[in-house]
């Protein structure tokens, strides 16, 4: 009832007339004799209206109305019969015993019944039929699909589409009829002689209906419905879909296609795009067909074909020439929808191919003044991506003119375009910063203001020349900022960047004003920002001023503000506290912390020991922010809304670790091993991807054991592997002793993968064994009887050589961990240290050496040192954790490169335990 207009509600008449209780009482009209078609139609209309606006009927109410409605089958009035079917369709989902009306509906599905009844009967039958009965009505549906009357054929095709999930095998048998419906030719005459007396069967009697001649369709909508059903049936068979596209696509020029309906062609184009994404090998054939459709007489088809080519993976500039030319023609079209679609597609394409889109710049500039602001916004956004440095000032002037005329959603798109332009042309930062500071003072919602603030944040981060001016603009903004979240973020940034400025004192006034004038959340953020100035700036006068201001905050009415002030006053006096709580730039990896806490809670011995937070890896605040960062508005709004792929993102390393913990907990033989210290983040492939048997390995490290998990897949459908095991032969002096092997009883193509476990005991748990294992897959191979699907009794033993498995330092015993290198390096001065020099003669550059060291040790590169700035000398800084409470490890790798001799490496290691130093040196030296 919520959809009624205010005027209707005030009158009270409609609310009474369309009241559920009133309608249920008036349903007695269905029992009148004789039946009044006019009254019944009016009541059925009100029932359907209530259902459409969201009103719900109980099961008993729906059942009563449903069977009351079925009594109206006694009357032959055509319009009444249509309303009966409409009501049956809507009530069938909640009423009980609806299948009892099947016979009445089947009568109207007969080929000799009136044409006006058959489509409605088919649609209603689809809603009430039981999946087990579909085979019984198969004959009727097949006949209806190929019927000459478009309404009957479409009704049968759409109903088949809805029946497919419940009766896949039966509906798949209708593929020939669906193919015939796609290829059906329309008759040439508009009306036949026999249909003049009763148009569409109105007023005709049942004995006249057999002479009815169908009215042909000029829209060919049946082809659209038939194509949808064909694809649904064949979607699992990529070759069949490809063949269907090629058959229906016609010649390379786009002519000769049997499809006359533009929507059917658009659907076929989308199927072609999906096939190209799944199989790049057919891309060339599909592109030829798509380029033919660029010359179709329908604008809809032209646009869909152009967009499909523009969205292809690895599309070349040559392939884009024709679709861009078509889109360029649409830019000057008088139809706003075509202009909007073309500019939106070009805006998306400009993200990846700005040079190709640049040919449309003249037409796009003409659209900046378009009366449709949406078109103008996409035009200016595209120009910002494709324009050169000389046009930036002119474009920004044009943008400023209509910023007040567009909605916040499009303002965000423009600000994001400016944000990317700042990084592209940093020398133009003055005009762009002036534009951003100007729109920051305009009226707008939170999303718009946040987009502007984040654009200024990026300029501060990447363009050093504008840092001071940008901070001043932000200081002015927080003076009257109404959004608490933005004020807190700006104060946090001021606390980080302000102390590094040439004149840090000029920001203090703006920050302290927030302590005096704002709410508690902002006051607390301002206190933290003030403290960073006192700790980071070595100026006794400033230190004294900050102390005075923080002391005033001790009298604040809010607990959080007082507590922060007390903490920072204490930190100002004790440098150790300042380093830990203010200067430390690392935080716990939340996903890793969650995985460790889950394992701790599930451990039965957890109550006897304290949770070891030192074993949780840390990441930089920048990394943590990236993990939680919102997607760019350019990606979400500027790009097409149709997602090419609905595949979920891959699980993180911590999610994988949690899954392994749950999996191993179900293996009884491993129940006494305790908690897992580490598992391989990515399974190691031990066979080629195209072999008949595929095996991957995951290593699980426990405090006293190492468990190897082999995932065995059998790709042969006519063979079953039984008694599957993996024989592992460790290298000499590995420090490991084999405990047992848990084989897999049977592995078939349908049950793959099977999991084999091999357990080893660490002879000396305090040491970290590095070893190599030769692996052989052993099994009994049995053929499958194709008639019964059962394996034969006799089989033969076989074995399959696998790649060697390595137990290495990086990834198995060392995990990445972020740290402040300078402070941690100094802190570990008194711990275990080791230094050794290596000659890496095979390395062709310092960059190659950096990549190799990071990969071998699996440690976190710090401060961007993984990207060397010099080709001759460089220092790489790494940080990690040794599993099992082994503490932190820091590595300083000093490298020099000379042509002919390769890279000379001086490796310095500091750690909390000597074993860690030995492990790192052994990993590089091995």
């Amino acid at each position: 009832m919520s959809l009624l207009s205010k005027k209707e509600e005030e009158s009270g008449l409609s609310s009474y007339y369309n009241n559920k209780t009133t309608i249920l009482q008036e349903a007695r009209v269905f029992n009148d004799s004789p039946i009044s078609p006019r009254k019944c139609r009016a009541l059925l209309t009100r029932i359907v209206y209530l259902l459409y606006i969201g009103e719900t009927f109980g099961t008993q109410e729906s059942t009563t109305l449903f069977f009351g409605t079925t009594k109206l089958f006694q009357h032959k009035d055509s319009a009444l019969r249509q309303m009966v079917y409409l009501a049956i369709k809507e009530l069938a989902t909640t009423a009980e015993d609806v299948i009892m009306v099947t016979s009445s509906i089947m009568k109207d599905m007969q080929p000799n019944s009136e044409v006006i009844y058959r489509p409605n009967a088919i649609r209603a039958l689809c809603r009430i039929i039981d999946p087990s009965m579909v085979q019984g009505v198969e004959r009727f549906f097949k006949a209806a699909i190929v019927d000459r009357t478009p309404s009957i054929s479409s009704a049968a095709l759409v109903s088949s589409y809805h029946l497919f999930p419940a009766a896949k095998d039966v509906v798949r048998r209708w593929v020939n009829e669906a193919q015939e419906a796609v290829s059906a030719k329309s008759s040439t005459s508009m009306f036949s002689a026999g249909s003049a007396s009763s148009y569409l069967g109105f007023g005709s009697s049942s004995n006249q209906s057999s002479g009815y001649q169908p009215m042909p369709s000029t829209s060919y909508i049946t082809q659209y419905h038939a194509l949808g059903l064909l694809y649904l049936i064949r979607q699992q068979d990529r070759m069949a879909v490809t063949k269907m596209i090629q058959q229906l696509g016609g010649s390379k020029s786009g002519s000769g296609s049997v499809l006359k309906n533009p929507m059917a062609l658009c659907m076929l184009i989308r199927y072609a795009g999906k096939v190209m994404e799944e199989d790049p090998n057919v891309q060339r054939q599909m592109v030829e067909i798509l380029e033919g459709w660029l010359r179709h007489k329908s604008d809809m088809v032209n646009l869909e074909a152009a967009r499909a080519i523009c969205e292809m993976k690895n599309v070349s500039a040559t392939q884009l020439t024709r679709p861009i030319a078509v889109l360029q023609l649409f830019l000057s079209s008088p139809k706003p929808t075509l202009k909007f679609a073309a500019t939106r597609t070009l805006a998306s394409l400009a993200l990846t191919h700005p040079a190709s889109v640049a040919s449309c710049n003249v037409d796009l500039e003409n659209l900046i003044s378009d009366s449709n602001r949406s078109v103008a916004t996409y035009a200016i956004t595209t120009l910002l991506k494709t324009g050169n440095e000389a046009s930036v000032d002119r474009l920004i002037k044009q943008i400023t003119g209509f910023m007040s005329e567009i909605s916040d959603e499009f303002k965000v798109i423009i600000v994001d375009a400016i944000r990317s332009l700042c990084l592209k042309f940093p020398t133009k930062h003055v005009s762009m910063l002036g534009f951003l500071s100007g729109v920051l003072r305009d009226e707008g919602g939170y999303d718009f203001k946040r987009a502007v603030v984040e654009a200024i944040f990026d300029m501060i981060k990447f363009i050093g020349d504008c840092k001071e001016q940008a901070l001043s603009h932000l200081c002015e903004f927080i003076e009257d900022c109404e959004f608490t979240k933005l004020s807190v973020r700006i104060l946090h940034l001021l606390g980080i960047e302000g102390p590094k400025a040439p004149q840090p004192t000029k920001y203090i006034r703006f920050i302290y004003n927030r302590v005096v004038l704002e709410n508690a959340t902002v006051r607390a953020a301002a206190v933290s920002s003030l403290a960073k100035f006192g700790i980071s700036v070595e100026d006794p006068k400033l230190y004294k001023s900050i102390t005075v201001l923080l002391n005033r905050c001790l009298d604040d009415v809010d607990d959080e503000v007082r507590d922060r002030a007390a903490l920072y006053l204490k930190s100002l006096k004790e440098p150790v506290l300042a380093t830990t709580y203010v200067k430390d730039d690392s935080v716990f990896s939340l996903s890793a912390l969650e995985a460790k806490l889950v394992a701790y809670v599930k451990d039965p011995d957890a109550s006897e020991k304290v949770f070891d937070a030192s074993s949780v890896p840390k990441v930089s605040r920048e990394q943590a922010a990236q993990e939680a960062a919102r997607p760019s508005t350019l990606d979400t709004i500027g790009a097409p809304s149709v997602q090419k792929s609905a595949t979920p993102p891959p699980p993180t390393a911590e999610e994988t670790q949690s899954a392994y913990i749950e999996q191993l907990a179900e293996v009884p033989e491993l129940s006494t091993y305790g908690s897992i210290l580490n598992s391989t983040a990515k399974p190691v492939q031990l066979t080629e991807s195209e072999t008949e048997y595929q095996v991957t390995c995951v290593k699980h490290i426990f405090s006293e054991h190492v468990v190897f998990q082999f995932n065995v897949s059998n790709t042969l459908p006519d063979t079953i592997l039984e008694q599957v095991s993996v024989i592992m032969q460790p290298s000499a002096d590995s420090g490991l002793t084999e405990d047992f092997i848990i084989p897999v009883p049977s592995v078939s193509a349908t049950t793959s993968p099977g999991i084999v476990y091999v357990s080893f005991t660490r002879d000396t748990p305090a040491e970290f064994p590095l070893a190599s294992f030769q692996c052989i897959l052993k099994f009994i191979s049995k053929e499958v009887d194709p008639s019964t699907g059962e394996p034969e009794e006799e089989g033969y033993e076989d074995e399959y050589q696998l790649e060697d498995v390595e137990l290495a330092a990086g990834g198995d015993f060392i995990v990445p961990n972020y740290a402040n290198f300078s402070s941690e390096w100094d802190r570990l001065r008194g711990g275990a240290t080791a230094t050794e020099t290596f000659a890496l003669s095979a390395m062709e550059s310092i960059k190659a050496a950096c990549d190799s060291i990071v990969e071998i040790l699996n440690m976190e590169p710090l401060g961007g040192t993984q990207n060397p700035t010099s080709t001759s000398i460089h220092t790489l800084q790494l940080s990690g954790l040794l599993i099992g409470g082994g503490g932190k490890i820091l590595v300083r790798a000093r490298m020099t490169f000379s042509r002919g001799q390769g890279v000379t490496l001086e490796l310095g290691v500091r750690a909390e335990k000597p074993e860690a130093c030995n492990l790192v040196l052994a990993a590089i030296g091995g």
Side-chain angles (χ1 to χ4, degrees):
M1 301 299 287
S2 59
L3 298 184
L4 294 174
S5 68
K6 188 176 180 183
K7 191 173 180 181
E8 287 174 326
E9 288 178 349
E10 287 175 351
S11 68
L13 178 62
S14 179
S15 59
Y16 167 76
Y17 184 69
N18 289 322
N19 181 278
K20 185 169 80 169
T21 307
T22 307
I23 286 174
L24 289 170
Q25 291 174 347
E26 292 181 10
R28 290 191 297 267
V29 73
F30 296 150
N31 300 320
D32 290 352
S33 183
I35 293 170
S36 170
R38 187 182 61 80
K39 288 183 180 179
C40 293
R41 280 202 309 269
L43 185 59
L44 289 171
T45 304
R46 288 159 61 194
I47 292 172
V48 173
Y49 171 74
L50 278 184
L51 290 167
Y52 279 0
I53 64 171
E55 187 67 76
T56 55
F57 288 92
T59 304
Q60 185 60 44
E61 295 168 340
S62 294
T63 306
T64 304
L65 286 174
F66 183 88
F67 285 102
T69 303
T70 58
K71 294 177 182 178
L72 303 179
F73 275 109
Q74 302 169 43
H75 203 281
K76 294 295 183 182
D77 184 83
S78 301
L80 175 61
R81 188 68 62 92
Q82 283 191 302
M83 281 308 304
V84 166
Y85 280 126
L86 201 56
I88 284 175
K89 260 175 57 183
E90 299 304 321
L91 292 169
T93 54
T94 50
E96 292 179 337
D97 301 324
V98 295
I99 205 165
M100 293 173 65
V101 79
T102 305
S103 59
S104 299
I105 297 175
M106 293 286 286
K107 287 180 183 177
D108 286 344
M109 280 184 62
Q110 302 298 327
N112 60 351
S113 65
E114 296 192 35
V115 170
I116 197 70
Y117 289 174
R118 286 186 69 194
N120 303 92
I122 292 166
R123 289 191 179 94
L125 185 67
C126 164
R127 292 292 182 93
I128 67 161
I129 199 169
D130 185 84
S132 62
M133 296 178 62
V134 176
Q135 193 164 355
V137 296
E138 182 177 6
R139 177 171 57 89
F140 294 101
F141 270 98
K142 280 186 173 183
I145 287 173
V146 295
D147 197 281
R148 291 177 58 200
T149 308
S151 58
I152 295 173
S153 181
S154 287
L157 288 164
V158 173
S159 299
S160 305
Y161 196 95
H162 292 304
L163 285 171
F164 185 79
K168 288 186 175 66
D169 295 335
V170 178
V171 177
R172 280 197 178 102
R173 296 202 293 262
W174 306 347
V175 65
N176 292 333
E177 284 72 20
Q179 184 72 49
E180 186 177 337
V182 168
S183 309
K185 301 288 191 298
S186 176
S187 59
T188 54
S189 61
M190 286 299 293
F191 297 97
S192 64
S195 63
S197 61
S198 59
Y199 173 60
L200 284 180
F202 281 109
S204 64
S205 63
S206 57
N207 60 357
Q208 294 172 324
S209 61
S210 58
Y212 177 83
Q213 295 296 322
M215 188 177 107
S217 169
T218 56
S219 68
Y220 299 92
I221 192 65
T222 303
Q223 292 184 332
Y224 174 67
H225 297 141
L227 183 64
L229 180 61
L230 267 181
Y231 179 75
L232 193 67
I233 293 171
R234 295 174 172 173
Q235 62 183 343
Q236 303 301 329
D237 187 349
R238 192 190 307 152
M239 292 299 295
V241 173
T242 306
K243 187 177 179 182
M244 178 182 76
I245 295 167
Q246 291 172 337
Q247 286 176 342
L248 298 178
S251 64
K252 293 180 182 179
S253 62
S255 60
S257 173
V258 297
L259 295 179
K260 308 296 182 187
N261 182 268
M263 288 191 291
L265 278 169
C266 289
M267 189 63 72
L268 194 65
I269 290 168
R270 293 189 181 182
Y271 296 154
K274 200 174 289 186
V275 167
M276 284 191 294
E277 185 183 17
E278 293 172 355
D279 186 5
N281 296 324
V282 300
Q283 190 179 79
R284 187 178 58 81
Q285 303 164 356
M286 293 294 119
V287 169
E288 288 178 355
I289 297 173
L290 290 174
E291 286 181 345
W293 284 325
L294 290 174
R295 296 185 288 274
H296 196 271
K297 61 184 178 181
S298 169
D299 292 336
M300 186 195 306
V301 177
N302 299 154
L303 179 67
E304 195 67 39
R307 198 175 67 162
I309 296 174
C310 292
E311 291 176 2
M312 283 193 318
K313 288 181 180 177
N314 306 318
V315 63
S316 66
T318 307
Q319 290 172 322
L320 288 172
T321 306
R322 290 182 182 176
I324 288 177
V326 171
L327 294 172
Q328 191 170 3
L329 287 173
F330 288 159
L331 294 178
S332 54
S333 169
K335 299 177 183 176
T337 49
L338 283 179
K339 284 192 289 189
F340 178 80
T343 51
R344 191 164 184 264
T345 304
L346 289 170
S348 174
L349 184 62
L351 289 168
T352 52
H353 294 82
S356 299
V357 181
S359 60
C360 303
N361 280 4
V362 175
D363 298 277
L364 289 167
E365 286 194 29
N366 295 332
L367 293 178
I368 293 176
S369 56
D370 194 271
S371 58
N372 188 315
R373 296 286 86 182
S374 302
V375 172
T377 303
Y378 275 121
I380 197 72
T381 306
T382 309
L383 284 168
L384 287 171
K385 297 169 195 166
T386 60
N388 52 34
E389 196 166 357
S391 64
V392 169
D393 293 331
R394 176 168 51 83
L395 289 172
I396 287 178
K397 283 181 184 177
Q398 289 176 304
I399 296 170
T400 309
F402 72 83
M403 279 295 282
S404 58
E405 302 174 21
I406 59 177
S407 65
D408 275 10
E409 182 184 19
F410 287 110
K411 285 180 183 177
V412 169
I413 297 176
I414 288 178
V415 169
D416 265 353
I418 293 285
R419 176 181 172 186
S420 58
L421 201 67
C422 294
L423 309 180
K424 188 177 178 182
F425 304 123
T427 56
K428 292 291 182 181
H429 68 265
V430 176
S431 59
M432 287 185 275
L433 187 59
F435 168 78
L436 291 173
S437 64
V439 297
L440 203 54
R441 291 189 289 269
D442 294 344
E443 292 295 322
Y446 171 72
D447 287 333
F448 168 53
K449 297 287 185 180
R450 183 184 66 173
V452 179
V453 168
E454 287 185 346
I456 296 177
F457 278 14
D458 277 358
M459 293 184 74
I460 292 170
K461 182 177 179 181
F462 297 109
I463 307 173
D465 294 342
C466 72
K467 185 178 293 186
E468 197 168 350
Q469 187 65 34
L471 288 174
S472 299
H473 287 310
L474 291 176
C475 286
E476 292 172 13
F477 172 63
I478 60 173
E479 287 290 328
D480 56 357
C481 177
E482 58 184 309
F483 302 108
T484 298
K485 285 184 179 179
L486 291 183
S487 295
V488 170
R489 290 193 61 190
I490 292 170
L491 287 167
H492 176 71
L493 182 75
L494 286 171
I496 295 171
E497 299 292 344
K500 303 173 188 175
Q503 294 179 312
T505 52
K506 70 179 182 180
Y507 304 114
I508 302 297
R509 173 174 62 87
F510 295 100
I511 297 172
Y512 189 68
N513 281 348
R514 310 279 62 77
V515 176
V516 177
L517 302 171
E518 291 285 359
N519 59 48
T521 306
V522 178
R523 293 202 304 273
V527 167
S528 298
S529 187
L530 281 174
K532 289 173 184 174
F533 278 82
I535 291 169
S536 303
V537 180
E538 295 179 1
D539 182 353
K541 189 175 178 182
L542 179 62
Y543 175 88
K544 186 177 179 181
S545 300
I546 296 294
T547 306
V548 171
L549 295 175
L550 289 177
N551 272 308
R552 290 179 185 174
C553 297
L554 292 173
D555 298 326
D556 196 276
V557 295
D558 186 75
D559 292 348
E560 175 72 15
V561 178
R562 292 198 305 271
D563 291 348
R564 288 198 187 193
L567 170 68
Y568 289 126
L569 281 169
K570 183 75 172 174
S571 300
L572 283 168
K573 296 173 185 175
E574 298 185 21
V576 177
L577 290 176
T579 302
T580 306
Y581 294 109
V582 181
K583 292 183 178 180
D584 188 13
D585 190 35
S586 63
V587 293
F588 286 120
S589 169
L590 291 181
S591 52
L593 179 62
E594 180 188 20
K596 294 283 185 183
L597 285 171
V598 168
Y600 176 74
V601 169
K602 290 183 176 180
D603 187 354
D605 302 327
S607 58
E608 301 174 6
K609 56 185 178 182
V610 179
F611 178 72
D612 182 14
S614 63
S615 64
V616 181
K618 288 188 173 184
V619 295
S620 66
R621 292 184 187 277
E622 187 177 350
Q623 286 174 301
Q626 285 175 352
E627 289 176 7
R630 67 181 181 88
S632 168
T633 317
L634 282 172
D635 297 332
T636 55
I637 300 178
S641 58
V642 179
Q643 294 184 354
K644 298 294 287 183
S645 176
T647 54
T652 63
E654 286 73 25
E655 289 172 340
T656 306
Q657 181 96 356
S658 298
Y660 287 143
I661 291 172
E662 293 180 7
Q663 182 179 311
L664 295 178
E666 298 174 0
V667 182
E669 291 88 343
L670 309 178
S671 59
T672 59
Y673 282 15
S675 59
I676 302 175
L677 302 180
N678 189 37
S679 293
T680 311
K682 186 178 179 182
V684 181
Q685 194 78 29
L686 302 183
T687 57
E688 297 294 333
S689 58
E690 63 272 6
T691 55
E692 58 269 31
Y693 311 125
Q694 296 177 7
V695 183
T696 60
C697 178
V698 178
K699 293 161 279 185
H700 306 288
I701 312 298
F702 294 83
S703 57
E704 297 181 1
H705 300 83
V706 178
V707 175
F708 295 87
Q709 172 186 323
F710 294 93
N711 305 312
V712 182
S713 296
N714 173 19
T715 62
L716 301 175
D718 54 352
T719 303
I720 285 184
L721 311 183
E722 293 186 351
Q723 299 178 29
V724 183
S725 61
V726 176
I727 308 302
M728 300 184 70
Q729 182 62 44
S731 54
D733 302 325
S734 63
L736 295 168
T737 303
E738 184 177 309
D739 299 322
F740 52 80
I741 301 173
I742 305 177
V744 184
S746 173
V747 179
S748 65
T750 55
T751 60
S752 294
I755 299 177
V756 177
Y757 292 104
V758 183
S759 173
F760 284 84
T761 296
R762 295 164 62 178
D763 297 340
T764 310
E767 295 180 357
F768 299 90
L770 303 181
S772 177
F773 298 80
Q774 293 180 356
C775 301
I776 297 174
L777 179 68
K778 285 202 166 189
F779 52 88
I780 295 176
S781 179
K782 291 185 178 181
E783 298 291 327
V784 176
D785 188 343
S787 58
T788 62
E790 296 294 324
E792 297 176 354
E793 292 185 7
E794 295 296 326
Y796 62 92
E797 292 188 5
D798 199 357
E799 60 183 44
Y800 194 86
Q801 184 70 45
L802 305 176
E803 297 287 337
D804 289 359
V805 173
E806 302 285 340
L807 200 58
D812 292 332
F813 299 115
I814 300 175
V815 293
N817 180 61
Y818 181 82
N820 185 317
F821 188 83
S822 57
S823 61
E824 285 295 321
W825 187 258
D826 292 339
R827 186 181 70 82
L828 293 172
R829 188 186 302 274
T833 61
T835 304
E836 196 164 327
T837 304
F838 299 91
L840 310 178
S841 55
M843 294 295 168
E844 298 179 353
S845 67
I846 287 183
K847 173 62 176 169
C850 288
D851 294 342
S852 180
I853 293 169
V854 171
E855 183 182 356
I856 291 170
L857 296 179
N858 189 43
M859 297 174 72
E860 182 75 29
L862 302 176
T865 55
Q866 72 274 24
N867 298 313
T869 54
S870 169
T871 57
S872 57
I873 186 168
H874 181 64
T875 300
L876 173 66
Q877 299 172 347
L878 301 172
S879 173
L881 280 179
L882 187 62
I883 63 170
K888 293 182 179 178
I889 311 170
L890 292 182
V891 171
R892 184 177 66 187
R894 292 173 171 169
M895 290 172 275
T896 59
F897 174 76
S898 59
R899 195 172 299 279
Q901 296 183 354
V903 175
T904 302
L905 168 67
E906 181 195 79
L907 194 72
V909 187
R910 290 187 181 179
E912 295 179 9
K913 292 187 177 181
E915 295 86 350
C917 295
N918 298 334
L919 187 64
V920 171
L921 294 177
I924 298 295

